Amino acid sequence: MNLPNNTRPLIGTEPTLKAPPGATDCHMHVYLPGYESQPGGPSIPELATVEDYYQIQKWLSLERVVVVQPNAYQCDNSALLVALGELGLTKARGVAVVTPETPQAELEAWHSEGVRGARIMDLPGGAQSCADMALIEPRIRELGWHMMVQFNGRHLNDHLTSLKCLKTDFIIDHLGKFMDPVPSEDIRVDEILRLLDRGNAWFKICAPYETSLVGGPDYSDVGAVARRVIEHAPERVIWGSNWPHVGVPRSQYPNDAMQLDVLLQWATQSECEKILVDNPARLYGFDIN
């Protein structure tokens, strides 16, 4: 399979937010030459290489990155590991797809290459669902990994018992992924705050364009929930670009600088520092500058 080269914009007007030293993108994907989509996963429209992402990093003044296994590759983490090798352990970490059958020796090898989390996606195309969490969590616990969990936030109650049973850290991904957005005072947002208060849950600001009904640049419907979570527990929030944004049609492709600048609408300067630097360093084991 020959994938076309990246045609997405990799440079543009600088973001208004001046990223502090050590700023971390906690959610992006790569699509590398020679790695095909796997059965059960979506097709790959075009490449998204490490070299492409270096330009995004430079544009947004980011220093560190977490590479997340894309749905297209399903349980084949080969491209993820190649990308981590190119990026290097001082600047990059990874989130892989782990199955209940993944050999422990393989998990330990991935750890040495920078993997620090297991992806759970309870939406179409996801390789491992919330039903798999109870079997996967003991496999990663001794390594100190977290679970990155994504589901429709409107169905949070279906997953609450399973989430409360997790002993590892876990991330509530993509702003809770409420489809459609809910008011900030919704009872399911109350439940998210209670999960954060338990001490092992995190909340990721990522891809508001995927669920917002009002759109950017402020994404005010999604932003209301984000602001409430940040105000409640700024020390439990991280941010991700979701580059290269394959979940939306080309006509809806978002501006990458605006995806960073949305933090200015939702967080104070000191909160931005925690979200971009301190919290990712703590979760992923990066050195503090």
Side-chain angles (χ1 to χ4, degrees):
M1 181 181 65
N2 293 317
L3 292 176
N5 291 329
N6 173 73
T7 62
R8 310 169 188 89
L10 301 175
I11 58 173
T13 303
E14 290 186 3
T16 302
L17 191 157
K18 303 302 180 185
T24 306
D25 180 352
C26 289
H27 195 117
M28 55 78 72
H29 308 287
V30 294
Y31 301 94
L32 304 184
Y35 295 89
E36 300 185 12
S37 61
Q38 299 297 304
S43 61
I44 303 171
E46 58 189 61
L47 295 176
T49 67
V50 171
E51 288 300 322
D52 293 331
Y53 184 72
Y54 279 145
Q55 295 187 62
I56 296 292
Q57 276 192 317
K58 184 177 180 181
W59 176 12
L60 305 184
S61 298
L62 303 172
E63 292 186 10
R64 296 164 174 167
V65 62
V66 178
V67 186
V68 176
Q69 172 75 345
N71 292 327
Y73 292 143
Q74 292 289 288
C75 299
D76 180 0
N77 294 291
S78 302
L80 168 69
L81 297 173
V82 169
L84 290 177
E86 293 184 29
L87 289 159
L89 272 174
T90 61
K91 298 292 187 181
R93 297 289 186 268
V95 175
V97 166
V98 177
T99 75
E101 295 78 32
T102 305
Q104 195 66 28
E106 197 163 356
L107 296 177
E108 291 171 2
W110 294 353
H111 185 88
S112 69
E113 296 177 74
V115 175
R116 294 295 184 272
R119 189 177 195 195
I120 300 293
M121 188 167 181
D122 212 71
L123 293 168
Q128 297 290 294
S129 71
C130 288
D132 305 309
M133 287 195 300
L135 295 175
I136 295 171
E137 193 260 0
R139 309 293 316 286
I140 67 173
R141 190 188 308 154
E142 290 185 7
L143 294 167
W145 293 8
H146 66 267
M147 285 192 162
M148 179 181 291
V149 186
Q150 187 175 163
F151 49 78
N152 183 346
R154 285 182 171 265
H155 303 156
L156 174 64
N157 290 338
D158 296 340
H159 308 299
L160 266 178
T161 299
S162 297
L163 293 173
K164 290 177 180 178
C165 287
L166 294 177
K167 298 179 181 178
T168 59
D169 281 1
F170 65 92
I171 298 169
I172 299 169
D173 206 2
H174 275 51
L175 293 146
K177 201 76 177 256
F178 289 99
M179 299 183 292
D180 291 337
V182 298
S184 62
E185 64 272 16
D186 188 275
I187 190 171
R188 288 158 292 195
V189 180
D190 295 341
E191 291 289 1
I192 288 176
L193 301 187
R194 283 192 277 270
L195 287 172
L196 297 177
D197 289 344
R198 292 167 64 91
N200 67 326
W202 302 76
F203 185 84
K204 187 193 296 165
I205 292 173
C206 185
Y209 59 86
E210 287 190 342
T211 54
S212 174
L213 298 181
V214 301
D218 297 338
Y219 306 102
S220 58
D221 48 356
V222 176
V225 172
R227 282 194 297 270
R228 186 177 177 207
V229 173
I230 293 169
E231 182 179 351
H232 181 83
E235 75 286 353
R236 309 298 299 179
V237 180
I238 57 178
W239 171 87
S241 69
N242 204 43
W243 185 86
H245 314 292
V246 295
V248 294
R250 183 70 185 215
S251 60
Q252 298 175 23
Y253 191 86
N255 178 282
D256 288 284
M258 290 172 60
Q259 298 310 297
L260 181 61
D261 279 344
V262 76
L263 286 176
L264 295 173
Q265 309 298 322
W266 301 346
T268 66
Q269 182 176 346
S270 63
E271 288 167 345
C272 285
E273 181 97 17
K274 290 180 180 179
I275 292 167
L276 291 172
V277 182
D278 300 339
N279 299 344
R282 188 154 47 98
L283 180 59
Y284 285 101
F286 290 118
D287 291 334
I288 296 290
N289 289 341

